[in-house]
Amino acid sequence: MTTDAKFNDMKASDQRAADPAWQDDVRAGVRHVRDLAALPLSPAERAAAQEAAVNHKVRIPKPYLELIDWNDPSDPIRAQVIPSPDELAEAEGELDDPIADHAYSPVPRLTHRHADRVLLFPTYQCAVYCRFCFRKESLTAIGRGYTREALEEAFAYIEVHPEIREVILTGGDPLSLPDKALGEIRARIEAIPHVRLLRIHTRVPVALPSRITAGLVGALEGRLMVTVVTHFNHPREITDATEAACRRLRQAGFVLLNQSVLLKGVNDTVEVLEELCRELMYRLGVKPYYLHHGDLARGMAHRRTTIAEGQALVSALRARLSGICNPTFVIDLPEGGGKVPLGPSHIEGCDGETWRIRGQDGKARAYREVVRE
């Protein structure tokens, strides 16, 4: 079993010999609440961070820790990973399971909310624990790592459901697992004939780019089309190291997408989002895919924007960026309602065959439908 202790200590000799750099980056970062004492925080800040970290795990690899400007209390990287006492202030309406993962889980480690795809949870551990995570309750409470036996019921479920075309590895962060485990999971999934695509949701290329090794890529290569969905939230997360990691994934033929979360005080300005989306596409070759309205995770009201603020931002982005650089603004509805686009409508009205549609220049124009019966 891959436990927290095993992940932290990195005692597997074959992995240590093959990929020492990323394991060093894990060891040199924050791995436990006690490691917060070594950070350049004031005594008051340190005490507040340690108090907040009691409820939810803390882990920050060295490369991500080095991005923080400790002279700026509002630093956007710091805001994503350093525990804050604001997390302890839960608001009415916030939920333990904001998108109903558990309600749509017919067997352990699997969620089947959409007809042709499932979520598979090979681990509930992460390389970095984001303070805004919508699964933080599960990651803290469950805390289990990978075993082949733990996934057998999930694999059996996929085998008897031929409508499933896509398996999404999530968690936890699947790329925090050793190469051997990733290879086992990939091989087991690709042995199911009706599955055609393997999708991986991960923050590793952002926070621990040294983990994207030739061995990791090789473990994922096989029959299946592979899509890696990264999670960059701010342009300062884009570095030479993350560029190299994404290049390695692209060169393997993997499709790269990104989903960001709209976070107050982190990326809630059009200037920040414009730079992020442009650099994702132009520098990393990663298509901005989704911009998420903040889920109703407990203790996150201080980071959540309004829907109207998000709509205004994506409307401004549409006027500034190429279509290929624009993400879709979505909300993942509670009770398993799924992702719903929230972008502002450009339709102002319709009279018979004539529509009034507002262009990117703000002017409404008549558009008459011309169709043959």
Side-chain angles (χ1 to χ4, degrees), residues 72-148:
D72 180 6
S74 300
D75 178 78
I77 309 301
R78 172 176 171 161
Q80 295 183 65
V81 291
I82 300 298
S84 163
D86 290 327
E87 299 171 27
L88 304 177
E90 297 181 5
E92 184 178 355
E94 293 182 328
L95 304 168
D96 288 340
D97 185 14
I99 64 171
D101 279 336
H102 302 314
Y104 287 82
S105 180
V107 297
R109 305 252 185 165
L110 181 141
T111 293
H112 193 179
R113 196 163 35 231
H114 305 290
D116 67 342
R117 56 202 183 276
V118 294
L119 301 176
L120 184 66
F121 300 84
T123 180
Y124 290 97
Q125 298 161 15
C126 290
V128 60
Y129 288 108
C130 303
R131 308 316 299 175
F132 54 86
C133 179
F134 69 94
R135 289 197 179 109
K136 61 183 182 179
E137 303 288 344
S138 293
L139 301 187
T140 294
I142 300 174
R144 292 193 296 269
Y146 165 74
T147 65
R148 281 175 289 180

Side-chain angles (χ1 to χ4, degrees), residues 27-28 43 49 94 125 157 187 198 222 231 244 249 259-260 264 352 364:
R27 282 191 290 265
E94 293 182 328
Q125 298 161 15
Y157 180 91
L198 178 66
H231 185 171
L249 294 169
Q259 50 186 353
S260 302
K264 186 184 296 184

